């Protein structure tokens, strides 16, 4: 049955293709006019896009830097001049005749030269020390008994007693009026450390200076650099 229906459909199509006079002709869908081919496409020329304009693809514009002249013409702020400080140089320490001083150690101001049992020593003495300790470490500066350009150191609590080197050890002894005594009690201050401290050189042994040895003060050939560095301060 399906074959017969298909045969009839084909026959119908064939009959529709025949003319009224029964002549054989082309099928209608084959006889239709064929459209002409399309005209050739026009060539479009795309001009290059300047670098300062954004491209058609969304690329970021290129910024042209300002001319050098414009940069040079920009206003600038002049920095204020640097402050200068002038250091005030302190006067060199010295020993002046007639003053009463405590001979403190330049490297440890809590220690002083003192006499105890008539021997010169280095001991810790401060404002809280006893009156005896402070008196033993106080000396009146006198014009040098053996050299007027130098000094001699007289005890405050034992007037007439001076610091004297004997057998190259510093002791406290009473003046006996001899030339040797006057020479032994005379010392010449020599400034060191740009005047911040001084050392004491013997006038009759000019190659020897006062130095510390085992808590005592002795006279040795040390040179100024190796001598006992002192700073005279107000006694008390």
């Amino acid at each position: 049955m399906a074959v017969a229906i298909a045969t009839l459909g084909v026959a119908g199509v064939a009959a529709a293709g025949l003319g009224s006079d029964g002549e054989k002709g082309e099928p209608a869908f084959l006889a239709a006019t064929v459209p002409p081919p399309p005209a050739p496409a026009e060539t479009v020329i795309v001009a290059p896009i300047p670098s300062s304009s954004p491209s058609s693809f969304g690329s970021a514009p290129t910024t042209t830097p300002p001319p050098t002249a414009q940069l040079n013409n920009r206003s600038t702020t002049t920095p204020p001049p640097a402050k200068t400080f002038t250091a005030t140089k302190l006067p060199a320490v010295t020993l002046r005749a007639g003053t009463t001083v405590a001979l403190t150690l330049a490297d440890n101001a809590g220690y002083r030269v003192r006499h105890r049992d008539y021997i010169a020593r280095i001991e810790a003495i401060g404002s809280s020390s006893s009156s005896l300790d402070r008196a033993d470490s106080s000396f009146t500066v006198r014009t040098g008994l053996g050299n007027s350009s130098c000094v001699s150191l007289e005890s405050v609590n034992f007037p007439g007693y001076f610091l004297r080197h004997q057998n190259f050890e510093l002791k406290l002894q009473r003046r006996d009026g001899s030339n040797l005594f006057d020479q032994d009690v005379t010392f010449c201050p020599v400034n060191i450390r740009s005047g911040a401290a001084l050392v004491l050189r013997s006038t009759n042994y000019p190659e020897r200076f006062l130095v510390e040895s085992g808590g005592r003060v002795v006279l040795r050939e040390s040179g100024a650099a190796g001598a006992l560095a002192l700073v005279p301060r107000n006694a008390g």
Side-chain angles (χ1 to χ4, degrees):
M1 179 63 68
V3 175
I5 293 173
T7 302
L8 290 176
V10 172
V13 172
L18 297 178
S20 57
D21 54 1
E23 294 181 358
K24 185 177 182 181
E26 295 292 337
F29 69 89
L30 293 178
T33 303
V34 178
E42 295 182 1
T43 303
V44 179
I45 300 175
V46 180
I49 300 173
S51 60
S52 60
S53 301
S55 66
S56 58
F57 298 100
S59 60
T62 303
T63 303
T64 303
T68 304
Q70 295 180 4
L71 292 177
N72 294 336
N73 291 332
R74 290 181 178 178
S75 61
T76 58
T77 303
T78 303
K83 295 182 179 180
T84 57
F85 299 92
T86 303
T88 302
K89 185 177 180 180
L90 298 176
V93 297
T94 187
L95 291 170
R96 294 192 305 274
T99 60
T100 300
V101 299
L103 298 175
T104 62
L105 272 60
D107 298 320
N108 194 337
Y111 283 76
R112 300 180 181 182
V113 176
R114 71 167 299 174
H115 66 80
R116 182 161 60 84
D117 298 329
Y118 301 101
I119 302 295
R121 309 169 189 270
I122 303 295
E123 293 186 1
I125 298 176
S127 58
S128 61
S129 299
S130 68
S131 58
L132 176 62
D133 290 340
R134 287 184 280 114
D136 285 353
S137 61
S138 300
F139 300 91
T140 301
V141 181
R142 302 300 185 189
T143 300
L145 300 182
N147 183 342
S148 60
S149 298
C150 301
V151 298
S152 296
L153 299 168
E154 183 181 8
S155 171
V156 166
N157 54 349
F158 285 85
Y161 284 72
F162 291 81
L163 290 177
R164 175 192 186 181
H165 68 79
Q166 186 180 55
N167 298 325
F168 304 119
E169 293 183 0
L170 197 63
K171 304 176 182 180
L172 188 70
Q173 292 188 357
R174 185 173 183 177
R175 186 179 186 184
D176 60 11
S178 68
N179 181 65
L180 178 61
F181 182 94
D182 289 351
Q183 292 291 319
D184 288 349
V185 300
T186 302
F187 301 92
C188 299
V190 178
N191 283 115
I192 60 173
R193 305 180 184 179
S194 301
L198 59 80
V199 294
L200 295 175
R201 176 174 57 83
S202 170
T203 190
N204 55 346
Y205 289 89
E207 74 283 359
R208 290 178 179 264
F209 292 79
L210 293 183
V211 302
E212 179 186 5
S213 177
R216 296 191 178 189
V217 184
V218 299
L219 196 65
R220 285 185 181 171
E221 296 181 9
S222 65
L228 182 62
L230 300 170
V231 176
R233 301 184 189 277
N234 293 329

